[in-house]
Amino acid sequence: MAGGAGRSFPTLSPIPYPLSPIPYPLSPTPYPLSPTPYPLPMDPLDLTFMSRALELARTAEAAGEVPVGAVIVKDGAIVAEGWNRPIGASDPTAHAEIVALRAAGQALGTYRLTGTTLYVTLEPCAMCASAMVHARVQRLVFAATDPRGGAAGSVFNIVQHAALNHRIECTGGVLAEECATLLRNFFLARR
């Protein structure tokens, strides 16, 4: 039957979350689904670049967006930056990581971002993690975990999935408390 006419689909009940303002901890704890224990040893520059990502997250917050910021680094220098803007851009894919990946591709003149490190204030979702794998990002450094949708070990581990042709080195928990606090406060203010 064309278009599914005559088919019966189950009625889905609404998802019961969020039940309270961020009812789960955003913390740098180890992830049971990940083959690599977190956090891995930090590069001395991780704090510097994550601090910049946190500044960008504040830019997103000031624009009324979920406060997530991202920075892409190659050879010790920032080549691209991004912050969440799906609301302002009317673009559901305009997550901080995607914005930064697009800018890095333009800046470097290639869609293959080999030798780069992506810093982001919240563990990437499945969309962003998949984009990083396709772009061949070498390393991911994130701050707060996302136990509801994180795709770097919390819920899924797309960035290191054995079935994929590229795996990303990961370090989690860099400035986790600062980034988690920013997210918590953002959502508390909206409830």
Side-chain angles (χ1 to χ4, degrees), residues 56-57 59-61 63-70 81-103 118 120-122 124-125 127-129 131:
L56 295 168
T59 300
E61 179 183 37
E65 304 275 1
V66 175
V68 178
E81 299 179 332
W83 58 88
N84 266 6
R85 22 180 120 160
I87 298 167
S90 299
D91 179 359
T93 69
H95 290 195
E97 302 95 320
I98 300 295
V99 172
L101 287 167
R102 288 176 178 155
L118 190 147
V120 64
T121 57
L122 179 65
C125 70
M127 174 185 69
C128 294

Side-chain angles (χ1 to χ4, degrees), residues 8-169:
S8 174
F9 295 98
T11 303
L12 300 176
S13 59
I15 297 172
Y17 60 81
L19 300 174
S20 63
I22 312 239
Y24 51 88
L26 294 173
S27 67
T29 56
Y31 314 101
L33 300 178
S34 173
T36 305
Y38 295 119
L40 292 177
M42 276 193 292
D43 179 295
L45 291 175
D46 285 351
L47 289 173
T48 301
F49 293 126
M50 188 60 76
S51 293
R52 178 61 186 147
L54 184 55
E55 290 174 19
L56 295 168
R58 290 186 179 110
T59 300
E61 179 183 37
E65 304 275 1
V66 175
V68 178
V71 171
I72 297 181
V73 174
K74 185 173 177 86
D75 299 326
I78 294 174
V79 295
E81 299 179 332
W83 58 88
N84 266 6
R85 22 180 120 160
I87 298 167
S90 299
D91 179 359
T93 69
H95 290 195
E97 302 95 320
I98 300 295
V99 172
L101 287 167
R102 288 176 178 155
Q106 292 296 308
L108 298 173
T110 181
Y111 71 104
R112 293 283 193 227
L113 304 179
T114 57
T116 60
T117 299
L118 190 147
Y119 293 84
V120 64
T121 57
L122 179 65
E123 180 182 3
C125 70
M127 174 185 69
C128 294
S130 295
M132 285 185 267
V133 169
H134 287 291
R136 305 298 192 267
V137 168
Q138 179 179 334
R139 183 169 177 248
L140 165 65
V141 180
F142 63 91
T145 61
D146 184 356
R148 292 229 170 136
S154 289
V155 177
F156 314 102
N157 196 350
I158 291 172
V159 297
Q160 296 178 332
H161 199 283
L164 299 176
N165 62 349
H166 177 72
R167 285 166 225 27
I168 300 172
E169 301 167 29

